[in-house]
Amino acid sequence: MSTCASARQRIKTEEHDMTSGIYKVTATFLNTSGGPVTGQGIEAGLRDKDRFFDDKLGVCTLNSRGEAEFIFTAEDIDSIDSRGETRPDLYFVLWRNGEEIFQSEVFENVDFDAVDPVTGRKKGLTQAFGPFSVNI
C-alpha cells in the first residue's frame, strides 16, 4: 500500500498542544469495470473540509490494487478556521497528471477517538473508506 505522511509540518505552541495519536486512513479506488485504478500519473489526496480552507492531509500514489494509505496527526486537522477540531470532515481527490478526475463525498465527523464499550480501548485509529467507483 502506498503510504504518505501529512503535508503540513507540525507546529506546537504553548497555548495549544494536541495530544492525540497518529491516525491512518485507507481508501480503495476502482474503475467502472470493477478493476483497480492504477497507472502512471495517478495520485490520491486526502482533505479535511473546513469552513474557509480545507486542510491537505496528504498526497500519494495508488498501489496495484488501487489503494492509498494516509497517515496524519490531530495537529494536522487543527487549523486556524477549525481550532480544537477532533473529528475531521474527510474527502478524497484523485488526479491524473495533475488534472482532477474524482472527488468523493465528504465524510463528516470521522471519529478516530471512539472507544470500544467492552475493552475501553480506542478502536478507530485506522479508518477504511471505499471502494470508490471512478469513471475512467
Side-chain angles (χ1 to χ4, degrees):
M1 193 169 287
S2 297
T3 302
C4 51
S6 165
R8 286 188 353 191
Q9 288 187 353
R10 287 145 184 73
I11 301 172
K12 292 187 179 186
T13 66
E14 289 182 22
E15 64 180 300
H16 190 72
D17 183 13
M18 300 296 284
T19 58
S20 295
I22 295 174
Y23 305 126
K24 181 166 79 169
V25 168
T26 62
T28 303
F29 301 90
L30 303 177
N31 60 34
T32 53
S33 301
V37 173
T38 60
Q40 291 282 337
I42 302 282
E43 290 183 312
L46 177 63
R47 304 284 186 262
D48 171 26
K49 183 85 172 157
D50 286 333
R51 178 179 229 159
F52 299 110
F53 303 103
D54 294 351
D55 299 321
K56 298 175 182 179
L57 301 179
V59 175
C60 61
T61 58
L62 303 178
N63 66 18
S64 62
R65 295 179 304 280
E67 301 169 332
E69 182 177 279
F70 303 90
I71 297 173
F72 58 95
T73 70
E75 291 173 322
D76 298 318
I77 61 173
D78 181 39
S79 56
I80 197 162
D81 63 344
S82 61
R83 291 306 263 167
E85 180 178 26
T86 59
R87 295 183 180 184
D89 302 319
L90 300 178
Y91 68 96
F92 300 88
V93 181
L94 278 186
W95 299 274
R96 182 189 306 153
N97 299 320
E99 182 180 333
E100 184 176 308
I101 59 172
F102 172 81
Q103 183 173 313
S104 76
E105 68 270 24
V106 176
F107 298 91
E108 295 181 352
N109 296 311
V110 177
D111 188 0
F112 290 95
D113 293 320
V115 176
D116 185 293
V118 175
T119 65
R121 293 182 183 166
K122 288 185 180 181
K123 63 179 182 176
L125 297 179
T126 298
Q127 299 278 338
F129 295 88
F132 297 106
S133 180
V134 181
N135 190 20
I136 58 172

